[in-house]
Amino acid sequence: MSNPRVLVTRPIPDAGLALLRPAKLDYFLPESPPDHEQLIEHVAHHDAVIGQLADRFDAATITAASSRCRIIATCSVGTDHIDLVAARAAGIRVTNTPGVLTEATADLTWALLLATARRIPEAEQLARSGGWQGWEMMQMLGADVHGRTLGIVGAGRIGTAVARRATGFSMNVLYTAREDKPAMAALGARRMPLETLLAESDFVSLHCPLTDETRHLLDRSALERMRPGSMLINTARGPIVDEAALIDMLRHRRIAAAGFDVYEHEPRIPAELTALDNVVLLPHIGSATVTTRNRMAQMAAEDVIAVLSGNPPLRPVC
């Protein structure tokens, strides 16, 4: 193929773009991220796409791409923004970036858990505001983490990495999964049904993928099973939680606090959520380290180069 064209939908680290240049690929990076209609227009004129979570590759996008595009390489582990059924039918390969963001996301999960438990944003704001009047016995009381029970929903790479960190806090770790996980058992973690985990955990951390089965996995009924005074951490996907139900339970302190890196309707964060003082809010930065994002861009570029060179993708999803 002469002069294959690659659409890079949004800025990525130069570590990825640098691989495309020696491969003599003509890449196009729009001045601003394309909206959905613009994305549909662009994909029809490219042989490959390097996309991101904010890009919606639905059936209409896949149909437009099918006349020319051979691969969609997403700079993410999750592929819930891509219609995989349509991609398979169109013969378009889809790849992702598994494994590389495990440790960064596990680190961020712990940062969020500790910030939520110890009310770090509130305390930091008090210190900055000039309102702090000195040490007080009853000031900024948070929750203990050491020795408490951590429930992990989804025991894949990231969930296991979070559990591994929990051993340093002498936590009792519970997890849910379709089957027993030897790596979790080696850490002393116990597998149990979701209902039991929710009732017995002081902290619940979500690490399952977003699928039809896990959408609103934590609906109002599930949230009501959580131990009074417990806290919820979500660095997986926003729609796993019924956000409206959770806001109501946080408002009434039925759930003591929550830490979010993801939201049900990103990038929109409900005003009702931002108004609460018992939540910690982050802008989806789970994998946002220089090393991790560089490698994600490289992996996407490597798969594009492989497919456009007539080889199988290195990290196929479909």
Side-chain angles (χ1 to χ4, degrees):
M1 178 182 296
S2 61
N3 298 320
R5 300 188 67 198
V6 180
L7 169 64
V8 183
T9 61
R10 297 162 190 269
I12 64 173
D14 192 62
L17 298 178
L19 295 181
L20 302 178
R21 297 184 192 115
K24 295 182 171 52
L25 297 179
D26 178 18
Y27 69 85
F28 169 63
L29 181 61
E31 291 185 4
S32 59
D35 61 26
H36 189 233
E37 294 303 315
Q38 291 170 329
L39 180 62
I40 290 175
E41 178 183 354
H42 289 324
V43 296
H45 305 291
H46 290 82
D47 303 290
V49 179
I50 295 178
Q52 299 181 28
L53 284 172
D55 301 313
R56 181 158 55 97
F57 295 96
D58 58 7
T61 313
I62 298 297
T63 297
S66 62
S67 63
R68 179 167 177 174
C69 183
R70 297 169 58 188
I71 176 175
I72 297 170
T74 180
C75 293
S76 64
V77 173
T79 56
D80 47 276
H81 57 301
I82 303 173
D83 188 329
L84 298 179
V85 173
R88 289 189 187 97
I92 298 174
R93 304 307 301 263
V94 175
T95 65
N96 64 346
T97 58
V100 66
L101 49 70
T102 297
E103 302 303 332
T105 305
D107 284 348
L108 192 280
T109 298
W110 268 94
L112 192 52
L113 188 154
L114 289 168
T116 302
R118 296 302 302 272
R119 302 171 62 182
I120 299 299
E122 287 181 86
E124 199 263 356
Q125 180 57 35
L126 179 62
R128 283 183 181 273
S129 69
W132 185 48
Q133 300 300 311
W135 189 89
E136 296 179 19
M137 186 70 131
M138 302 303 293
Q139 189 174 71
M140 301 303 303
L141 300 182
D144 288 310
V145 174
H146 186 272
R148 304 298 290 275
T149 297
L150 172 64
I152 295 177
V153 180
R157 291 187 183 97
I158 298 172
T160 303
V162 169
R164 189 168 62 248
R165 286 156 173 76
T167 62
F169 288 83
S170 300
M171 298 189 84
N172 174 36
V173 179
L174 314 176
Y175 74 96
T176 62
R178 294 178 183 274
E179 57 189 19
D180 290 337
K181 300 288 186 176
M184 294 291 273
L187 296 170
R190 293 180 292 129
R191 177 177 169 240
M192 57 185 51
L194 176 64
E195 294 80 2
T196 307
L197 179 147
L198 295 174
E200 296 187 6
S201 297
D202 299 298
F203 299 91
V204 175
S205 189
L206 304 182
H207 301 287
C208 53
L210 177 62
T211 64
D212 290 341
E213 184 179 355
T214 63
R215 186 176 296 274
H216 279 197
L217 179 68
L218 266 65
D219 57 12
R220 179 175 292 276
S221 176
L223 292 168
E224 288 175 346
R225 294 190 182 98
M226 289 181 63
R227 174 181 290 180
S230 60
M231 301 184 183
L232 178 66
I233 307 298
N234 190 4
T235 58
R237 286 291 184 269
I240 294 171
V241 181
D242 181 338
E243 202 166 69
L246 179 58
I247 289 170
D248 183 60
M249 298 189 74
L250 286 165
R251 183 184 291 121
H252 293 94
R253 306 285 169 161
R254 174 60 181 76
I255 293 174
F260 299 86
D261 187 43
V262 292
Y263 306 90
E264 187 165 1
H265 303 289
E266 292 187 15
R268 185 178 68 83
I269 303 176
E272 298 89 343
L273 192 59
T274 61
L276 296 173
D277 62 5
N278 56 338
V279 297
V280 178
L281 306 175
L282 300 178
H284 204 149
I285 58 171
S287 64
T289 71
V290 172
T291 299
T292 300
R293 292 287 172 85
N294 279 346
R295 185 59 189 137
M296 290 169 71
Q298 289 172 333
M299 292 166 75
E302 288 166 357
D303 273 311
V304 164
I305 292 168
V307 170
L308 294 185
S309 299
N311 299 312
L314 303 173
R315 304 163 194 91
V317 175
C318 73

